[in-house]
Amino acid sequence: MCIAILEVLRTSQLVREASRATLSRMLSVLGTEALPYLPRLIDNLVRNCAVEELLDLLGLIGLVVFKFKPYVAPTASKLLLPVISKVYGFLDKVAHEGAAGTDEAVLLQDLRKAYLSLIGAIFNADLDSIFLDPQNSQHLVLIFQPIATQLAVDHNNAQCQRLAFNVIFKAIQAWVVDPLGYHTLATLTPAAVAALNNSARTGTRSADRQMLRQAAAQALGLDLASSNAKDVRDQFKQFVMSTVVRSCFETPTQPQFQMSDAQSSLVVSEISGVLQLLLVAGMPAVAHGDGSAMAAMEAPQLLSVPIGTELGQNQFASYLSTVLLPSMGCPENMAAEFVQALSTLGQRQFKKYFVAFLTNNS
């Protein structure tokens, strides 16, 4: 009854507010039994909602995906495109027409943060497979393009930048480092990957127990090892190499970026993590460079734990030292030194080195 009324009167803000309140109560009382009603209900809510309403919805959806993982995967997959389209619709409108005033500008900044927080919540809930669902996978690069090229370089909001690079970090975790979902994304840091690599020779494979990421994919009827899923991940890798890696260096070297600011320091930390994770992954599917010594650097290999099954020669290191950094005016010896620091220093030490590197080459 609630959904039928909303479909007829969705232009009424009072009806939409009442529907959101009803939705919250349904979730509290019915639990997972309420999930099948969410796509139809939220689709009608987002069609005519204002920015303030969308902010509330994004927060609610974030709570839903966390509370009901992995059973919520089919529902979240259906909600993904309508919600993202509405967010980008608001942001594109302001980009072309400008904000109507200070209040709207503040709301849109909050919308950017809420949107990135929702995408982060999806990864934290180990529901990354909803992006690989056939109904969403063809839009994967289109979804992440504004994150890498707009939100990650938004110098008016360092917190937004940090969230953007954090989302990119988690996507690389999911689709480059551990594409088959053997590990939870919340703990899959570069240090954790290194620890897994070091203990692989004496460790035992834990693939007998199905992980949340695998359960979510199963709920979608998605085979993470299929050629279709691999093709989508390969498209994402190409996007990372062509767009994300360059953003990692261009964002903190812009004149507006205040390296001494506390929030900006957190942005640099996120960027450092992205670069270290890409080095661990090796990015073997994309060939760059001229066959220099860096091309022979082996990416970490696991013998027992099936993480990084696509790792091979570390062509990411080669790409940095022979292509990207030289194209940005970095001398060859400094580029080689940077890659060496990236591969040998811990996270904190590399961040300090990265700040000094950016300062000396900006």
Side-chain angles (χ1 to χ4, degrees):
M1 179 64 74
C2 171
I3 299 177
I5 294 174
L6 177 62
E7 288 178 332
V8 176
L9 301 174
R10 59 173 174 254
T11 57
S12 169
Q13 183 176 354
L14 289 176
V15 172
R16 295 196 301 270
E17 290 177 354
S19 298
R20 289 202 307 276
T22 302
L23 172 60
S24 298
R25 295 190 186 99
M26 285 174 56
L27 291 168
S28 299
V29 175
L30 298 178
T32 56
E33 294 181 9
L35 296 181
Y37 301 100
L38 288 188
R40 187 178 165 194
L41 185 56
I42 291 182
D43 181 57
N44 281 280
L45 285 173
V46 301
R47 288 190 185 187
N48 297 93
C49 71
V51 176
E52 300 95 323
E53 297 172 79
L54 186 56
L55 282 169
D56 292 339
L57 272 177
L58 293 177
L60 178 61
I61 296 171
L63 291 174
V64 169
V65 298
F66 179 79
K67 183 176 181 179
F68 297 111
K69 59 183 179 183
Y71 313 104
V72 74
T75 300
S77 181
K78 293 177 182 177
L79 293 176
L80 189 66
L81 288 183
V83 171
I84 290 178
S85 297
K86 191 65 176 182
V87 172
Y88 285 153
F90 277 127
L91 297 181
D92 289 344
K93 181 180 178 181
V94 173
H96 288 94
E97 302 176 7
T102 303
D103 290 344
E104 185 178 25
V106 172
L107 278 175
L108 289 170
Q109 290 286 24
D110 290 341
L111 177 61
R112 293 181 180 95
K113 289 185 286 187
Y115 167 62
L116 291 170
S117 295
L118 173 62
I119 301 298
I122 291 172
F123 283 105
N124 287 334
D126 287 334
L127 296 177
D128 53 282
S129 56
I130 70 173
F131 291 96
L132 306 182
D133 194 344
Q135 64 182 330
N136 301 323
S137 60
Q138 59 183 319
H139 304 285
L140 181 65
V141 172
L142 293 176
I143 291 172
F144 278 84
Q145 184 82 30
I147 294 176
T149 61
Q150 298 176 28
L151 300 179
V153 297
D154 181 8
H155 297 290
N156 295 319
N157 194 331
Q159 186 177 1
C160 185
Q161 288 181 301
R162 180 183 65 79
L163 290 171
F165 278 109
N166 181 259
V167 165
I168 291 169
F169 177 87
K170 293 183 181 300
I172 294 170
Q173 283 181 312
W175 303 323
V176 179
V177 175
D178 185 22
L180 300 184
Y182 286 107
H183 301 275
T184 180
L185 297 179
T187 57
L188 194 62
T189 62
V193 174
L196 287 170
N197 289 339
N198 293 333
S199 61
R201 285 184 172 82
T202 57
T204 57
R205 175 172 173 160
S206 59
D208 295 336
R209 180 168 61 92
Q210 188 181 53
M211 303 300 292
L212 279 176
R213 294 174 61 205
Q214 296 170 335
Q218 186 178 59
L220 291 168
L222 179 66
D223 181 5
L224 294 177
S226 68
S227 60
N228 289 337
K230 185 178 183 300
D231 288 343
V232 177
R233 292 194 297 265
D234 286 343
Q235 292 175 17
F236 178 76
K237 291 180 184 180
Q238 295 284 352
F239 166 72
V240 168
M241 294 297 286
S242 64
T243 304
V244 171
V245 180
R246 185 168 290 273
S247 293
C248 287
F249 291 93
E250 291 182 343
T251 297
T253 54
Q254 294 296 318
Q256 306 95 321
F257 193 86
Q258 300 296 323
M259 196 71 71
S260 59
D261 180 73
Q263 286 292 334
S264 296
S265 177
L266 295 176
V267 175
V268 174
S269 295
E270 294 292 346
I271 294 174
S272 299
V274 169
L275 292 173
Q276 288 186 309
L277 196 63
L278 286 174
L279 186 79
V280 169
M283 300 295 286
V286 184
H288 288 283
D290 57 0
S292 65
M294 286 299 173
M297 182 187 295
E298 292 293 322
Q301 297 292 313
L302 292 171
L303 302 180
S304 299
V305 185
I307 181 175
T309 53
E310 300 176 12
L311 300 183
Q313 280 195 333
N314 202 315
Q315 296 183 3
F316 177 67
S318 175
Y319 172 66
L320 281 182
S321 61
T322 64
V323 180
L324 180 64
L325 292 178
S327 73
M328 301 179 73
C330 180
E332 184 177 341
N333 62 323
M334 291 188 66
E337 179 186 295
F338 178 86
V339 173
Q340 185 66 26
L342 182 63
S343 62
T344 57
L345 298 179
Q347 189 169 2
R348 290 185 179 179
Q349 291 79 9
F350 175 71
K351 178 189 172 183
K352 293 179 181 179
Y353 173 86
F354 190 35
V355 170
F357 177 85
L358 293 172
T359 303
N360 293 334
N361 290 276
S362 59

